[in-house]
Amino acid sequence: MPLFSHRSSAVFGGPVGGAPLPSFYSSKPVKPSRPFYTFSSTRTPLPLLAFSLLCLFIGLAGTLFAVSSIRRNQPLPVFHCDKSVDTFRAFYSSDSAKLGDDSNKGMVDRPKLLGFVGIQTGFESGERRAALRSTWFPSDPEDLLRLEQATGLGFRFVIGKSKDSKKMTMLEKEIEKYRDFMLIDVEEEYLKLPYKTLAFFKAAFRLFEADYYVKADDDIYLRPDRLATLLAKERSHSMTYIGCMKKGPVITDPKLKWYEKSGHLIGNEYFLHAYGPIYVLSAEVVASLAAARNNSFRMFNNEDVTIGSWMLAMNVHHEDNRAICDPRCTPTSIAVWDIPRCSGLCNPASKLKELHKIGMCSKSPTLPPDDV
């Protein structure tokens, strides 16, 4: 039997099989009744419309907040070379650095620079870094990149590691904000400064192709344009060691500052070497340091003495330049610090800001080549 029968139409057209219709049917036409559910108007009530728009706005705001939070919390890529990290590399062009590409091992892209300057700092030196970022060291990554492009010099704060998780957490926050660090795989400790210095030169050589590598402390006032002028000079010696050279008595009393436990190997007076707050090594010198095994170097207590002893073992030219240890800002000063009263600036956090207010320090133009 089909699902539908023509007989069903008789309900609407007349009696089926001659049977009388029930009394509630009538042969007179009946007006159609009103539907069970009707819309009296196509317009949405104003309160409902306002509520809907409010919900939509809240939903969009929540979505935008979530997206921005995800993007903000997502760390910028960093550049790893062995266990050394350049946190600033993400701001270079993607064509000049392959970020986070582990398949590129052995062919590390090294940005070419006139000089790379590593500002040695520690976990207790937050105020010094803040003072530097408010003076000659740009706090904004884009400004730091512009300084590099203008001078040919790269700048990073150089720091090791700590077993203190709180210190490492604070450092991570600072890195996320400024991105201006080079991280090296050495324990951050005063007595291990010679080891840190060697680790710095090795890491800097792997990460950057520079004509010169500069070790500087975070308690000196540096003038980048003057430093670039110094490094751009023509030199007949490819193996060059630039600094404020000094000699002095060897301290063998353990109660005194600058005590040297291996003083018996040196004698009564130190050999010629540069003051520690800032000195420069040419690329060939650093290449030799980078190629040597760590345990092949003798480490003395004092970092500047240690470097000086290595320079004696190499055929380097000692270039004595007093402009990088000037106690005041002058037309020729490159680095300003309180020599010989302090190894760096005395009270550096405040003194850095005082020097920056002096026009001769912060606003003077680069010297003409014939005045250098």
Side-chain angles (χ1 to χ4, degrees):
M1 179 179 179
L3 291 177
F4 296 98
S5 172
H6 291 287
R7 289 181 300 171
S8 61
S9 63
V11 174
F12 298 98
V16 180
L21 290 171
S23 60
F24 50 80
Y25 282 98
S26 170
S27 60
K28 295 181 181 180
V30 180
K31 293 183 179 181
S33 60
R34 296 182 63 183
F36 176 77
Y37 181 80
T38 60
F39 291 96
S40 60
S41 173
T42 57
R43 295 182 180 178
T44 304
L46 186 59
L48 181 60
L49 179 61
F51 180 75
S52 300
L53 291 175
L54 178 62
C55 291
L56 178 62
F57 174 77
I58 294 174
L60 289 173
T63 302
L64 291 174
F65 177 77
V67 171
S68 63
S69 297
I70 292 172
R71 288 183 175 179
R72 184 172 60 250
N73 294 331
Q74 184 178 2
L76 286 171
V78 295
F79 187 87
H80 294 261
C81 181
D82 294 335
K83 294 184 179 180
S84 304
V85 179
D86 177 17
T87 66
F88 187 77
R89 194 65 63 96
F91 290 93
Y92 289 133
S93 169
S94 58
D95 294 333
S96 64
K98 295 179 174 60
L99 304 176
D101 185 359
D102 291 336
S103 65
N104 225 22
K105 290 181 178 178
M107 296 183 294
V108 178
D109 192 13
R110 302 163 68 216
K112 293 184 179 181
L113 299 168
L114 170 62
F116 178 77
V117 184
I119 308 298
Q120 311 296 308
T121 191
F123 289 95
E124 311 299 331
S125 298
E127 289 187 1
R128 294 184 184 183
R129 292 192 294 274
L132 285 170
R133 292 190 185 105
S134 67
T135 57
W136 67 265
F137 193 114
S139 60
D140 181 74
E142 297 295 338
D143 290 338
L144 185 58
L145 185 59
R146 278 191 283 270
L147 177 63
E148 179 177 313
Q149 293 169 344
T151 61
L153 305 178
F155 297 90
R156 302 287 188 278
F157 287 111
V158 180
I159 195 167
K161 58 186 179 180
S162 174
K163 296 178 182 177
D164 189 327
S165 59
K166 291 184 179 179
K167 290 182 179 180
M168 293 302 292
T169 299
M170 291 181 65
L171 176 62
E172 289 171 4
K173 292 180 179 178
E174 190 174 348
I175 290 172
E176 185 64 27
K177 183 175 182 180
Y178 296 107
R179 315 298 300 184
D180 52 10
F181 281 88
M182 179 201 286
L183 310 179
I184 55 178
D185 185 33
V186 66
E187 198 74 22
E188 191 67 47
E189 185 179 338
Y190 180 77
L191 293 178
K192 292 185 177 180
L193 285 181
Y195 296 90
K196 177 180 178 179
T197 304
L198 178 58
F200 157 66
F201 282 120
K202 283 176 173 283
F205 185 77
R206 288 192 298 265
L207 289 167
F208 298 92
E209 183 181 350
D211 294 332
Y212 297 93
Y213 297 85
V214 184
K215 179 265 179 182
D217 288 344
D218 60 5
D219 56 357
I220 66 172
Y221 189 95
L222 188 62
R223 305 169 82 184
D225 58 340
R226 297 289 197 274
L227 179 60
T229 302
L230 170 67
L231 300 185
K233 289 175 59 177
E234 290 288 336
R235 290 179 172 83
S236 57
H237 301 275
S238 60
M239 302 276 284
T240 303
Y241 173 36
I242 308 171
C244 289
M245 300 297 168
K246 65 170 180 173
K247 289 184 177 181
V250 178
I251 308 300
T252 56
D253 186 347
K255 297 180 181 179
L256 298 178
K257 192 176 182 180
W258 316 124
Y259 162 66
E260 183 54 69
K261 68 178 181 179
S262 300
H264 62 284
L265 297 175
I266 302 172
N268 295 326
E269 186 179 62
Y270 282 120
F271 38 80
L272 189 69
H273 64 283
Y275 278 97
I278 180 171
Y279 53 85
V280 183
L281 301 181
S282 63
E284 286 196 25
V285 177
V286 176
S288 297
L289 296 180
R293 299 193 312 271
N294 286 353
N295 58 6
S296 65
F297 291 101
R298 181 177 295 280
M299 298 291 184
F300 292 100
N301 275 28
N302 300 301
E303 171 260 333
D304 54 355
V305 172
T306 302
I307 294 294
S309 70
W310 300 345
M311 297 302 101
L312 286 181
M314 300 182 184
N315 185 26
V316 305
H317 173 69
H318 288 63
E319 183 177 315
D320 185 21
N321 192 313
R322 314 313 288 185
I324 60 177
C325 59
D326 205 325
R328 59 194 179 91
C329 280
T330 67
T332 58
S333 57
I334 297 170
V336 182
W337 47 283
D338 293 318
I339 182 175
R341 289 188 298 140
C342 299
S343 180
L345 288 169
C346 305
N347 302 315
S350 58
K351 192 65 178 290
L352 283 165
K353 296 177 183 178
E354 292 176 12
L355 289 171
H356 197 63
K357 293 178 182 178
I358 302 173
M360 182 63 71
C361 274
S362 60
K363 297 185 173 119
S364 58
T366 301
L367 290 173
D370 56 342
D371 289 342
V372 178

